[in-house]
Amino acid sequence: MDIVAIAFLLFAVVTVLKGVRIVPQGYEWTVERFGRYDRTLVPGLGLTVPWVEAIGRKLNMMEQVLDVPSQEVITKDNAVVRVDGIVFFQVLDAAKAAYEVATLEIAILNLTMTNVRTVLGSMDLDESLSKRDEINARLLIVVDEATHPWGIKVNRIEIKDIQPPRDLIDSMARQMKAEREKRANILEAEGFRQAAILKAEGEKQAAVLEAEGRREASFRDAEARERLAQAEAKATELVSDAIAKGDVQAINYFIAQKYVEALREFAHSPNQKTLLMPMETTGILGSLAGIVEIGRAAGAANTSATAARANPFIKPE
């Protein structure tokens, strides 16, 4: 009797323990009754009917990451590239994920790899290398729609690397180098052009300023000649008036002035070594004496005029 009681007690304990289930956080367990899906246990304490119900699948409900293995893809322009990626997905419905597809992760990987070939095959090499965001968006839409009946949500699909063949990489490097050299030559030519334009502008401005300087100098020379001519005319007029009045000293002054100017021109001549005097020295001295007399007469006249202004009763001579 003791052995039977102990056996019965152990059976009861095992039965109770078999019916108590503790589901960890982030997981959901499916319950099968006689091999058929019945319900889903959420995180926490769960109860099942011992010997009648059993735990079917234990599913991770957290976001999971799958590495998409590298594969060769032929682009639209017949370039062969190696592509790999990464998939982020999360199980939303444990029952569908457990019973709608046999091996969930393998199914997601195969579906993603197939659509990677489809998307990249519709693009040429330059587009596949430069439009990563567009590729990721198209893959996400297609794969998420295809996996929706499995009770999962594909959150992101990222292309990690796209590797063209080595010869194509070398060709692209040469093309990039040629493009850089082309831009450098264009910039250098643009610099030379700008320098030539600035130099021409400077020469133009200098020529304009030089022309304005010559014009201003011409105006001033003309003004000086005009004033000199006016002075000559005035002097001639004064001498003519003196001659008309019979003043011989004025004639001597005029002739002496011309003599002095002629002598100055002879003296300033650069190739003149010998100076000939085709006039009488006494005539020149007489002319100079006439100049002195004119100066004295002018001084006496000025003195008389000043005295007359000072004393109105004195008559000037």
Side-chain angles (χ1 to χ4, degrees):
M1 293 294 296
D2 293 337
I3 297 176
V4 175
I6 294 173
F8 181 78
L9 181 60
L10 290 176
F11 178 78
V13 171
V14 170
T15 301
V16 171
L17 293 177
K18 192 175 179 63
V20 177
R21 304 291 181 174
I22 299 177
V23 182
Q25 181 66 38
Y27 286 83
E28 289 186 2
W29 294 356
T30 61
V31 178
E32 298 176 354
R33 177 174 293 181
F34 298 114
R36 182 179 180 180
Y37 170 75
D38 183 68
R39 65 185 183 278
T40 301
L41 297 180
V42 298
L45 181 62
L47 299 177
T48 60
V49 178
W51 315 111
V52 176
E53 297 178 342
I55 300 299
R57 299 284 301 275
K58 298 179 180 180
L59 297 175
N60 187 349
M61 305 300 292
M62 296 179 288
E63 187 172 15
Q64 303 177 59
V65 180
L66 287 179
D67 285 328
V68 179
S70 178
Q71 61 175 333
E72 290 187 350
V73 178
I74 300 176
T75 60
K76 185 178 179 180
D77 51 355
N78 296 325
V80 180
V81 295
R82 295 194 65 85
V83 184
D84 59 0
I86 190 170
V87 179
F88 297 84
F89 73 96
Q90 185 176 11
V91 177
L92 299 181
D93 192 331
K96 290 183 179 181
Y99 302 108
E100 293 293 336
V101 60
T103 53
L104 180 63
E105 294 182 357
I106 295 177
I108 295 174
L109 287 178
N110 289 331
L111 183 62
T112 303
M113 294 174 66
T114 303
N115 284 278
V116 165
R117 288 194 295 269
T118 302
V119 173
L120 290 179
S122 63
M123 305 172 69
D124 56 25
L125 180 60
D126 292 336
E127 290 178 342
S128 63
L129 294 176
S130 61
K131 297 182 178 180
R132 296 284 187 94
D133 294 338
E134 181 179 347
I135 296 173
N136 296 335
R138 292 174 60 181
L139 286 175
L140 178 61
I141 293 174
V142 175
V143 176
D144 183 51
E145 183 179 358
T147 57
H148 181 72
W150 300 344
I152 64 173
K153 171 66 177 176
V154 178
N155 296 323
R156 290 185 304 277
I157 297 180
E158 300 288 341
I159 297 297
K160 291 195 299 184
D161 192 15
I162 300 178
Q163 295 181 353
R166 173 53 57 182
D167 56 347
L168 188 57
I169 293 176
D170 296 338
S171 176
M172 293 171 62
R174 290 193 298 269
Q175 181 181 0
M176 187 180 301
K177 182 179 179 181
E179 188 67 24
R180 290 200 197 97
E181 292 178 353
K182 175 183 175 182
R183 289 198 297 265
N185 293 332
I186 292 175
L187 292 177
E188 185 178 1
E190 186 67 22
F192 288 150
R193 174 177 173 271
Q194 191 67 21
I197 292 174
L198 293 177
K199 183 179 179 181
E201 289 289 339
E203 293 177 352
K204 174 184 175 182
Q205 190 68 20
V208 170
L209 293 177
E210 184 179 358
E212 291 180 354
R214 289 198 302 269
R215 184 181 66 176
E216 185 67 21
S218 300
F219 287 161
R220 293 185 181 275
D221 291 342
E223 185 178 359
R225 288 195 298 269
E226 181 180 359
R227 291 184 179 180
L228 181 60
Q230 291 177 357
E232 290 285 345
K234 186 65 176 177
T236 303
E237 181 181 357
L238 293 177
V239 172
S240 299
D241 293 341
I243 293 172
K245 293 178 182 180
D247 191 353
V248 181
Q249 295 178 352
I251 298 175
N252 293 332
Y253 167 74
F254 187 73
I255 294 173
Q257 182 183 10
K258 297 301 181 182
Y259 280 163
V260 172
E261 291 178 357
L263 290 174
R264 183 176 61 191
E265 294 296 329
F266 277 118
H268 288 170
S269 178
N271 57 356
Q272 187 65 36
K273 304 301 181 182
T274 303
L275 181 62
L276 299 178
M277 304 288 292
M279 71 288 290
E280 297 180 359
T281 306
T282 56
I284 297 175
L285 296 176
S287 298
L288 295 175
I291 295 172
V292 173
E293 290 298 331
I294 291 175
R296 289 178 179 177
N302 291 332
T303 304
S304 299
T306 303
R309 285 194 298 270
N311 190 354
F313 298 100
I314 298 177
K315 296 181 179 181
E317 295 180 1

